[in-house]
Amino acid sequence: MAQIRLQLPLTREALAPLRAGDEVLISGDLYTARDAAHKRLVQCLQDGQPLPFDVRGQLIYYVGPAPASPGHAVGAAGPTTSYRMDAYTPALLDAGLLGMMGKGKRSPAVIESMVRHGAVYFGAVGGAAALISRHITHSEVVAYPDLGAEAVHRFTVVDFPALVIIDSLGQNLYEIGPRQYCEE
């Protein structure tokens, strides 16, 4: 299977042909956020305050990167478990977010919201944090520096490898994969 190249920011048109199981290489600027940052982002939305970055068309990577060693943009930058963001994700999708990347399953409410907005959930390879961090060429904190490693960062990535876990139609690799394995 060929790898599909995606350029950030995302568009619904670029996401529409993707299917669960597709391999992608992502390039451009993405944002990082974990649960504490998500809670603050959603609180901004609820309070009618501007977000610290425009989420429209963006991809949020669920990661708390390790400090960078000399000559590197970041240290290890492996995905964190995505379900911890599920309570906040529909509000961010309503605000225009089109992509999330992490590891693990998502709730039915998140999947329904993804389908409604044409969004996609990507999986990054857990356990390969040092390897995938080589695809991050720049990192800067853009919000909530008091959260340390969990602050919101803007990463510039080049050919960042990921899998489409849940596509914009709601097809879910965590369901499709085991079915295909059992059928074979």
Side-chain angles (χ1 to χ4, degrees):
M1 175 184 291
Q3 293 178 318
I4 300 164
R5 294 187 179 280
L6 281 180
Q7 184 64 44
L8 299 171
L10 300 169
T11 64
R12 285 186 180 89
E13 294 76 24
L15 296 177
L18 298 178
R19 293 297 170 257
D22 284 348
E23 296 177 16
V24 296
L25 296 173
I26 302 168
S27 296
D29 290 338
L30 58 81
Y31 293 88
T32 71
R34 289 181 47 159
D35 23 343
H38 272 73
K39 183 176 182 179
R40 290 184 186 183
L41 293 169
V42 170
Q43 190 63 55
C44 284
L45 292 172
Q46 291 171 345
D47 293 345
Q49 299 295 318
L51 293 174
F53 65 96
D54 187 356
V55 299
R56 290 175 295 179
Q58 297 303 329
L59 170 64
I60 294 180
Y61 181 25
Y62 304 145
V63 62
S69 58
H72 298 276
V74 297
T80 195
T81 306
S82 301
Y83 75 81
R84 296 190 341 234
M85 276 51 77
D86 282 2
Y88 310 110
T89 299
L92 292 171
L93 290 166
D94 289 345
L97 182 70
L98 285 178
M100 295 90 35
M101 183 164 49
K103 67 179 182 182
K105 296 181 179 182
R106 305 310 300 266
S107 71
V110 168
I111 296 170
E112 289 170 16
S113 187
M114 288 172 57
V115 170
R116 189 169 53 255
H117 294 291
V120 170
Y121 171 53
F122 300 96
V125 179
L131 179 63
I132 61 177
S133 69
R134 294 180 191 167
H135 295 274
I136 302 166
T137 60
H138 179 76
S139 173
E140 68 178 299
V141 174
V142 296
Y144 315 132
D146 60 301
L147 295 177
E150 294 191 33
V152 175
H153 294 76
R154 181 176 29 247
F155 282 176
T156 301
V157 298
V158 177
D159 291 341
F160 191 99
L163 283 175
V164 175
I165 301 297
I166 303 172
D167 63 33
S168 62
L169 301 176
Q171 297 175 103
N172 188 337
L173 189 59
Y174 287 121
E175 295 170 359
I176 295 167
R179 270 198 315 264
Q180 288 176 337
Y181 179 78
C182 291
E183 290 170 1
E184 293 174 4

